[in-house]
Amino acid sequence: MNTNFLSESYIIERAKSIEAASDLKAGIVISETHPELTDKLKEGCLKVLEATNCKKVKIASVPLCIDLIYVSRRMLYRDRHTAVIALGTLIKGIDFQYERTCDALYNAMTTLNSSYYTMGRARYLRRFFNAPPVILGLQTEETNEIAKDELEAKAVNIGMQAALSALELARLNQKLYAFL
């Protein structure tokens, strides 16, 4: 299996290739559920945003992973971010109602990505085509030790991947919107 696309250097180089990212406005929502893990996700996310010279970054913290939904929606609708990145960690052996929380997060982020400005705002339908991406960077592991080992090995940093996805989709969105 080729894991080159997961490496930190590959993600940083790919992020640097995104043109004119300095005009993007990114919102980051971070869960405080497992701070020793989510802090590393935040560091990775910020490292990618700094590599692209994205200077407009707003960071918000929430107490639980399920609260990522509300603040992401708020950043999307009220603050008009170009991209919203939600970061969190869920540990199956520790977190209460692990499966329900994962399902709720994935379903809510899918809904946010597919229903921007269509909920009661028909006059803004044109903005539907310029909907900013909402990216969920959720680290899910069986145990706390596995999650720590994975982050320390730098095999994969979901925060970096989420930031790269958000930047690439936001830039693509702007290019596609220019044709309307």
Side-chain angles (χ1 to χ4, degrees):
M1 180 176 156
N2 183 9
T3 58
N4 187 30
F5 69 96
L6 299 175
S7 70
E8 181 177 334
S9 60
Y10 174 80
I11 292 173
I12 295 294
E13 286 304 313
R14 181 127 181 205
K16 287 180 181 177
S17 70
I18 298 173
E19 70 273 357
S22 60
D23 64 331
L24 297 178
K25 183 179 177 185
I28 303 173
V29 188
I30 303 163
S31 169
E32 297 173 348
T33 308
H34 301 284
E36 68 279 359
L37 300 171
T38 53
D39 285 346
K40 294 200 181 211
L41 297 179
K42 180 176 90 171
E43 288 170 14
C45 184
L46 289 173
K47 187 183 286 188
V48 171
L49 293 173
E50 288 171 7
T52 60
N53 294 326
C54 182
K55 298 188 181 3
K56 300 174 191 169
V57 179
K58 184 175 187 177
I59 301 173
S61 295
V62 295
L64 301 172
C65 276
I66 199 70
D67 299 329
L68 291 169
I69 300 166
Y70 175 75
V71 179
S72 296
R73 183 173 56 94
R74 189 84 171 160
M75 282 187 171
L76 185 66
Y77 288 122
R78 183 179 173 113
D79 298 339
R80 311 260 191 225
H81 285 85
T82 314
V84 178
I85 306 163
L87 300 173
T89 303
L90 286 173
I91 309 296
K92 189 170 189 172
I94 297 173
D95 294 318
F96 180 67
Q97 296 185 344
Y98 171 83
E99 286 85 8
R100 289 183 183 175
T101 305
C102 286
D103 289 344
L105 284 169
Y106 285 115
N107 289 335
M109 295 304 167
T110 302
T111 302
L112 282 176
N113 277 317
S114 63
S115 64
Y116 181 72
Y117 276 111
T118 58
M119 295 184 279
R121 296 184 177 199
R123 62 185 174 159
Y124 296 110
L125 190 58
R126 181 173 166 85
R127 290 190 185 162
F128 171 75
F129 297 106
N130 193 23
V134 181
I135 305 298
L136 177 62
L138 185 65
Q139 181 181 13
T140 56
E141 298 295 342
E142 294 289 325
T143 65
N144 205 12
E145 291 76 29
I146 293 173
K148 286 180 184 178
D149 291 344
E150 190 172 308
L151 280 173
E152 287 174 5
K154 291 192 177 184
V156 99
N157 188 322
I158 294 170
M160 293 179 83
Q161 290 179 343
L164 180 64
S165 295
L167 291 171
E168 286 182 340
L169 288 174
R171 183 56 63 208
L172 177 64
N173 187 29
Q174 289 178 344
K175 287 180 181 178
L176 293 174
Y177 187 69
F179 290 110
L180 294 179

